[in-house]
Amino acid sequence: MIRLHITLLFVFLLAGIQMSQAQETVVLAVGQYGDLVFTEDTTTGDVVIPLRRVQNLFVLEGIVDGQRGNFILDTGAPGLVLNAAYFNKGKVLESASSFGVTGGGDQVYRYAADSLIVSGLSFYDLQANVADLGHIENARGIRILGLIGSGMFSRLEMVLDTRASTLGLYRVDRSGNRVFTPDELPAADLEIPLEYSSSLMFIRGVAAGKKLRFVLDTGAENNVLSTSSPSRVIKEIRVTNLTTLKGAGASTLEVASGQLPDLQLGGYDFDSMTFLLTDLSQLETAYGTIMHGMLGYEFLSKGIMVINPRTKILRIYFYEDPIK
């Protein structure tokens, strides 16, 4: 059974990005999310895309089949998801529905897009999922064309700088080395192995002596801990309040939130990050993998995050030292 994950905890706003005028193009790679092309006017083929932070989400501007609008950068979604309000629903996916942090959602459709243009990047001949995102627009009063997942950039090194509000995308060779722009960053403060499963990125962690597996998710405004995590971990949460989640399919859910005082990632302590407690069992079933939680904005905002799909390493350059 096919299911689509849409990680939307709250929502988003307008992004104003100058789009490059396409000149000659060079096809970089062909994959399940379309032919990836760099325009020659990017000089090296590497691009730095301005982001606009809305709440704790990252918005960028793109054009799909001539429609310009806002997209959410969502590494918790595997590929491209389009808003059914602006795109023909196309062919329904049999036995398919959207799932998120609040549970099940609406029926999902498949749409054949001719192109997606984001800054100096162009994708052609795309297969996108289409789902109802109207509840998100209604909640914030903005127009959202869709979500852009990590699978779209699976052959590129991603550099997310939350303070500069930029997303750098760099071509890498088979060994993970940049092809054009030199990597001038010093040695990272922390390196964490990445695991890839179902087009999602996972990080291993330890809390209360128990091993945990987290999705690295730019589409999550908050860190999330599954209620199916080991009981010793759940007991460590210092509950502070209740929060209402708005997720896929216009569903809402009231959940507890609190600090997890004892979490190690990459062998280092990340003290007292806040987590929302909710059931992720439907997502685990949908993806056929273990998922103890999600690392969202609070984690991502601790420093510059460099994600290399070839080396499968997350490098972190901390803004301030969070390690005790």
Side-chain angles (χ1 to χ4, degrees), residues 73-237:
L73 177 65
D74 186 3
T75 58
L80 179 63
V81 181
L82 297 176
N83 191 342
Y86 309 114
F87 298 91
N88 295 328
K89 288 186 175 181
K91 182 180 179 181
V92 64
L93 292 176
E94 297 298 330
S95 302
S97 57
S98 60
F99 282 84
V101 293
T102 58
D106 294 336
Q107 201 167 37
V108 177
Y109 296 79
R110 180 62 58 84
Y111 176 85
D114 292 329
S115 66
L116 166 66
I117 302 172
V118 179
S119 192
L121 292 177
S122 299
F123 299 84
Y124 295 101
D125 300 324
L126 292 150
Q127 291 294 318
N129 290 318
V130 179
D132 181 12
L133 304 180
H135 61 289
I136 304 298
E137 296 184 307
N138 294 336
R140 296 296 179 181
I142 61 170
R143 187 172 186 262
I144 303 159
L145 288 190
L147 316 175
I148 295 180
S150 60
M152 305 296 294
F153 309 128
S154 61
R155 296 169 180 83
L156 305 172
E157 183 178 71
M158 301 172 60
V159 180
L160 177 63
D161 188 339
T162 58
R163 287 197 175 175
S165 295
T166 58
L167 173 67
L169 299 171
Y170 302 90
R171 299 196 213 187
V172 291
D173 60 23
R174 293 182 181 275
S175 299
N177 300 311
R178 291 186 185 177
V179 175
F180 294 104
T181 307
D183 187 348
E184 297 178 348
L185 292 172
D189 296 314
L190 180 60
E191 293 189 355
I192 304 177
L194 292 170
E195 299 177 7
Y196 286 79
S197 177
S198 300
S199 297
L200 302 180
M201 296 179 287
F202 289 87
I203 292 176
R204 296 278 182 176
V206 177
K210 294 294 184 178
K211 295 180 180 179
L212 302 173
R213 194 166 183 253
F214 294 95
V215 178
L216 187 63
D217 191 351
T218 60
E221 282 199 295
N222 305 85
N223 298 323
V224 178
L225 184 67
S226 177
T227 52
S228 63
S229 297
S231 59
R232 284 174 56 181
V233 178
I234 301 297
K235 291 177 181 178
E236 290 291 314
I237 291 285

Side-chain angles (χ1 to χ4, degrees), residues 232-265:
R232 284 174 56 181
V233 178
I234 301 297
K235 291 177 181 178
E236 290 291 314
I237 291 285
R238 301 167 181 169
V239 176
T240 56
N241 56 29
L242 296 176
T243 301
T244 299
L245 299 184
K246 183 179 290 292
S251 56
T252 60
L253 179 69
E254 189 173 65
V255 301
S257 66
Q259 293 183 331
L260 181 60
D262 176 27
L263 175 63
Q264 288 192 339
L265 299 169

